[in-house]
Amino acid sequence: MSIILTTLNSKYIHTNLAIRYLKANAPEFDITLREYTLKDTLENILEDLLSRKPKIIGFSVYIWNVEKTLQLIKLLKEKDPTLTIFMGGPEVSYDFDVWFSRSPIDYIIYGEGELSFKELMEALHGRREVSEVRGIVYRNLVTNEPVQNPAAPILDPKEILSPFYFEEDIPHLPNRIQYIETSRGCPYSCQYCLASVDNKVRYFDMEKVKDEIRYLMKNGAKTLKFLDRTFNINKKYALEMFNFIIEEHLPGTQFQFEITADIMPTELIDYLNEHAPAGLFRFEIGIQSTYELTNQLVKRRQNFDKLTTNILRIKEGEKIILHLDLIAGLPEEPYDRFEQSFNDVFDLRPEELQLGFLKMLRGTGLRKQANEFGYEYDEFAPYEMKRNNALSEEDVHNIHLAEEILERYWNAHRMDYTIAYLVDGPFKASPFAFMQQFGAYWENRYSWIKYQLSDLFIRLYDYLESISYEELQTVLSYMKLDYLAQSKIKPKIWWEDRLNKQERRQIVNRLAEKSEKMIDLLKHHQINLPDMFKYAVVEPIYLDETLKPTDELHYLIVVYLPNHPTYYYIIKEVI
């Protein structure tokens, strides 16, 4: 009996680990894995699935794909009513009546799925009764009501078979994120998170995990992301894994972890700062809020002073990429207090700061308390909050405006020098207010959707001009550096004070005669003056060689040689 396990990933680079666990732990059945993306059309997915003539189709479901998955299931049943279809995943592990009323689904697997899936397949192959399958919900054919069987027992991860050794996955390993578990469960009880439902932390066999990582790297995997809710909860375990990765990683690989920063011992941070190659590790640290009342209401334990100390210590090592998380819309955190949370976290200057909006997930304690805190939220997934007692819809919209600017400028790293100058200088008092007000200016004048790279620079410059910002000469200098040095080929120039060809020729000739730095530049790249005019951009700026603002004229020279990286130089004007 042909079985397909499938899902709709957000992007091609994502890999669904759940369906691989199910296949690996039911090896006696004929199972095909198929993954699609949310951008794929329903028609194409439908055609591809039906062309394989399955008898059973199982869907891995989460908040981002549930709505499209329900549409797909309806179409599948219309085309082939004989299909047996089931769903599994955190999104459908609660409120079973909703899913049976909204779709012609046959079964739902709730909780951890490996054992339940195997038993369900045995039942569908006539080897046991459906009533004996643990961890499933099915439709009563007489009453049409959902029937929930007892839950499956919690598995010992050491007994779960590996999901990684499928030959058909090998060609995709270099181009997709590979997700790994070394543990299941979370020791914390944050009421907005489904991980809080499973408080018992259980570990996989360490040596088996190491072998899996060796296998993935050997076959070309570049990005490996650990799904452990708090990877460093067991300090000895974390240190052993970090040490293994440092000693055995292959060039070009990166390992990502969810870390709780305030429990990291100093000696572990010092070890990583001393021994880890730069860029090998990426730590995702959920801070969510710095407001103690809010953290107490959602049962989140966090020592922000200790967290800050540890994050700054990690940053001092300049080895580890930091991704910090904030959640807007948590209980009793009004607009001005959320602004402080944002600024508190932004002051840590992470490489990425994700500003998310509270999702009222099914099964969480906070969803059950929605009325208590005055929540209004979207009826359908991802159930994003619209307002609560502390935030109006206008407040939420204004936070969204700040988020748009945060993503386009800070997180995208298109204007690092410019934005750093602004948030460390004139807008240091509240980077949030700067981003929110710039976002409001953008929304009033432009579309959020259609824009080119140069528009990011032009619109920020126009905004600063609109508020009569006095140091536009300095800002434009940083913008030129960001814009030209990040380009791989000579880009179009958008600023008004650009040099014409004659001015550029005169400057280059003068520097080639009198500037030792310019002479060294020509020798180093083996460029003659005619090639300099062909391959280089020369622009006046008011930054010195250390990239500090100055009143003295300097020239930014950016060299775009074919098949070479972009080089830039700052040379002081020579009279």
Side-chain angles (χ1 to χ4, degrees):
M1 189 180 295
S2 176
I3 305 164
I4 291 180
L5 296 177
T6 187
T7 193
L8 280 64
N9 294 323
S10 295
K11 299 177 182 178
Y12 166 77
I13 61 171
H14 297 158
T15 305
N16 187 283
L17 193 59
I19 60 176
R20 286 168 172 79
Y21 269 121
L22 299 189
K23 178 176 178 176
N25 286 274
E28 64 270 38
F29 296 103
D30 175 21
I31 299 172
T32 299
L33 303 181
R34 296 296 297 165
E35 289 177 280
Y36 308 96
T37 73
L38 290 174
K39 291 184 177 180
D40 292 326
T41 66
L42 287 172
E43 292 77 12
N44 288 344
I45 300 171
L46 182 69
E47 180 181 354
D48 185 68
L49 286 172
L50 293 177
S51 71
R52 299 171 189 280
K53 303 188 184 309
K55 296 298 182 182
I56 301 170
I57 302 179
F59 286 90
S60 176
V61 184
Y62 51 99
I63 59 170
W64 302 110
N65 73 5
V66 62
E67 294 302 323
K68 194 165 184 175
T69 300
L70 293 178
Q71 296 175 49
L72 181 57
I73 290 171
K74 183 179 179 181
L75 292 173
L76 284 165
K77 281 288 194 175
E78 289 174 355
K79 289 286 187 179
D80 185 356
T82 68
L83 279 171
T84 298
I85 300 179
F86 70 90
M87 299 190 295
E91 173 59 12
V92 296
S93 289
Y94 305 90
D95 302 332
F96 306 120
D97 55 330
V98 171
W99 309 119
F100 280 98
S101 66
R102 291 191 61 198
S103 70
I105 198 75
D106 296 296
Y107 301 94
I108 289 174
I109 293 176
Y110 66 94
E112 292 185 2
E114 289 88 356
L115 179 60
S116 299
F117 170 71
K118 184 174 182 179
E119 290 186 357
L120 178 59
M121 292 305 100
E122 290 172 349
L124 295 178
H125 284 75
R127 302 175 193 171
R128 67 166 69 220
E129 295 297 321
V130 168
S131 60
E132 299 173 354
V133 178
R134 295 167 290 182
I136 69 165
V137 185
Y138 57 96
R139 194 187 304 272
N140 184 304
L141 297 180
V142 177
T143 66
N144 209 37
E145 295 296 319
V147 177
Q148 181 178 354
N149 285 357
I154 297 296
L155 299 176
D156 180 351
K158 293 181 176 64
E159 298 177 359
I160 298 174
L161 300 178
S162 174
F164 297 110
Y165 301 115
F166 297 124
E167 289 188 11
E168 61 266 33
D169 281 338
I170 291 176
H172 304 286
L173 294 182
N175 303 313
R176 285 181 164 177
I177 300 171
Q178 301 305 311
Y179 298 95
I180 298 173
E181 290 181 303
T182 70
S183 66
R184 288 184 179 178
C186 179
Y188 298 106
S189 302
C190 305
Q191 294 300 288
Y192 51 81
C193 180
L194 271 176
S196 64
V197 177
D198 181 6
N199 289 122
K200 184 179 179 181
V201 180
R202 297 156 285 137
Y203 287 90
F204 287 76
D205 181 83
M206 173 72 81
E207 295 309 313
K208 284 177 61 177
V209 173
K210 290 178 181 178
D211 286 340
E212 291 168 348
I213 293 172
R214 292 185 184 106
Y215 170 85
L216 293 171
M217 291 192 298
K218 178 182 176 182
N219 286 285
K222 299 300 181 185
T223 304
L224 297 91
K225 183 170 183 177
F226 289 72
L227 297 179
D228 305 59
R229 300 300 184 180
T230 305
F231 182 79
N232 60 318
I233 191 67
N234 184 320
K235 300 169 187 176
K236 181 179 178 182
Y237 194 90
L239 178 59
E240 182 176 347
M241 183 58 70
F242 289 145
N243 183 61
F244 161 74
I245 292 171
I246 290 170
E247 291 184 349
E248 296 198 27
H249 75 277
L250 296 181
T253 53
Q254 185 183 80
F255 295 81
Q256 304 178 8
F257 302 87
E258 291 188 26
I259 294 293
T260 299
D262 56 353
I263 65 170
M264 285 196 78
T266 300
E267 58 269 22
L268 178 56
I269 298 174
D270 291 344
Y271 171 81
L272 293 173
N273 283 346
E274 181 178 354
H275 297 285
L280 178 63
F281 293 128
R282 180 176 184 266
F283 286 175
E284 297 184 12
I285 300 172
I287 299 176
Q288 320 313 7
S289 174
T290 65
Y291 190 28
E292 185 56 32
L293 171 62
T294 290
N295 284 327
Q296 290 175 2
L297 290 172
V298 296
K299 300 182 181 180
R300 179 172 180 80
R301 304 197 304 269
Q302 180 169 266
N303 183 331
F304 187 67
D305 290 337
K306 181 64 173 175
L307 181 149
T308 299
T309 298
N310 285 346
I311 287 178
L312 292 177
R313 196 177 189 95
I314 292 170
K315 285 182 66 68
E316 286 175 3
E318 298 183 339
K319 297 290 189 66
I320 297 168
I321 299 168
L322 289 177
H323 170 112
L324 306 184
D325 286 335
L326 272 174
I327 297 178
L330 291 171
E332 304 303 333
E333 184 168 41
Y335 185 84
D336 58 345
R337 189 56 188 77
F338 177 78
E339 178 177 356
Q340 182 177 331
S341 284
F342 181 100
N343 291 332
D344 289 342
V345 177
F346 192 81
D347 280 347
L348 299 173
R349 297 297 187 265
E351 283 80 5
E352 297 175 10
L353 171 55
Q354 180 174 320
L355 197 175
F357 291 78
L358 178 66
K359 310 297 188 294
M360 303 294 285
L361 302 178
R362 295 181 185 275
T364 59
L366 197 53
R367 180 161 173 142
K368 297 171 184 175
Q369 294 179 281
N371 291 336
E372 178 183 344
F373 297 114
Y375 277 106
E376 292 181 14
Y377 56 91
D378 292 331
E379 178 183 358
F380 300 108
Y383 317 112
E384 187 165 296
M385 66 87 63
K386 298 178 179 178
R387 65 178 307 279
N388 62 18
N389 288 339
L391 288 176
S392 67
E393 289 192 37
E394 182 181 2
D395 291 334
V396 173
H397 178 70
N398 284 332
I399 297 172
H400 271 289
L401 295 178
E403 181 217 7
E404 293 284 0
I405 299 303
L406 177 73
E407 287 297 322
R408 283 162 171 73
Y409 287 85
W410 183 263
N411 289 341
H413 294 285
R414 295 186 178 103
M415 301 177 65
D416 284 351
Y417 289 117
T418 305
I419 300 300
Y421 166 74
L422 293 172
V423 298
D424 287 335
F427 300 106
K428 184 176 179 60
S430 180
F432 175 85
F434 158 65
M435 293 183 190
Q436 189 280 321
Q437 291 161 15
F438 177 28
Y441 173 85
W442 182 309
E443 182 178 58
N444 288 333
R445 295 194 57 177
Y446 314 111
S447 165
W448 286 113
I449 300 172
K450 295 182 178 180
Y451 62 89
Q452 298 177 345
L453 176 62
S454 58
D455 292 330
L456 292 171
F457 292 80
I458 294 168
R459 292 172 188 183
L460 175 57
Y461 189 87
D462 288 349
Y463 167 69
L464 294 172
E465 197 171 40
S466 75
I467 62 173
S468 301
Y469 179 67
E470 295 181 354
E471 300 297 329
L472 285 175
Q473 177 177 270
T474 300
V475 171
L476 183 58
S477 295
Y478 280 117
M479 284 184 168
K480 290 177 180 179
L481 176 59
D482 279 319
Y483 185 71
L484 294 173
Q486 284 199 34
S487 299
K488 295 181 180 180
I489 59 175
K490 291 173 68 171
K492 68 175 184 179
I493 304 300
W494 53 267
W495 46 87
E496 295 182 358
D497 70 339
R498 70 167 302 181
L499 298 173
N500 61 41
K501 291 183 179 180
Q502 183 177 353
E503 291 172 324
R504 186 159 61 100
R505 187 174 295 274
Q506 290 173 349
I507 291 168
V508 170
N509 285 333
R510 185 167 69 249
L511 293 176
E513 290 179 2
K514 298 185 177 182
S515 168
E516 291 185 6
K517 192 171 183 179
M518 184 67 169
I519 293 169
D520 289 341
L521 184 163
L522 293 169
K523 285 183 179 179
H524 176 74
H525 294 297
Q526 297 182 338
I527 305 175
N528 55 34
L529 286 182
D531 282 345
M532 193 68 184
F533 300 125
K534 181 179 179 182
Y535 294 121
V537 173
V538 180
E539 289 295 328
I541 61 171
Y542 290 88
L543 305 175
D544 64 21
E545 291 85 349
T546 67
L547 305 183
K548 300 294 184 184
T550 177
D551 292 330
E552 296 182 301
L553 177 62
H554 288 65
Y555 292 106
L556 172 65
I557 300 175
V558 186
V559 182
Y560 304 95
L561 290 173
N563 303 317
H564 283 75
T566 299
Y567 302 92
Y568 77 86
Y569 303 85
I570 295 176
I571 300 178
K572 188 175 180 181
E573 164 73 316
V574 178
I575 305 300

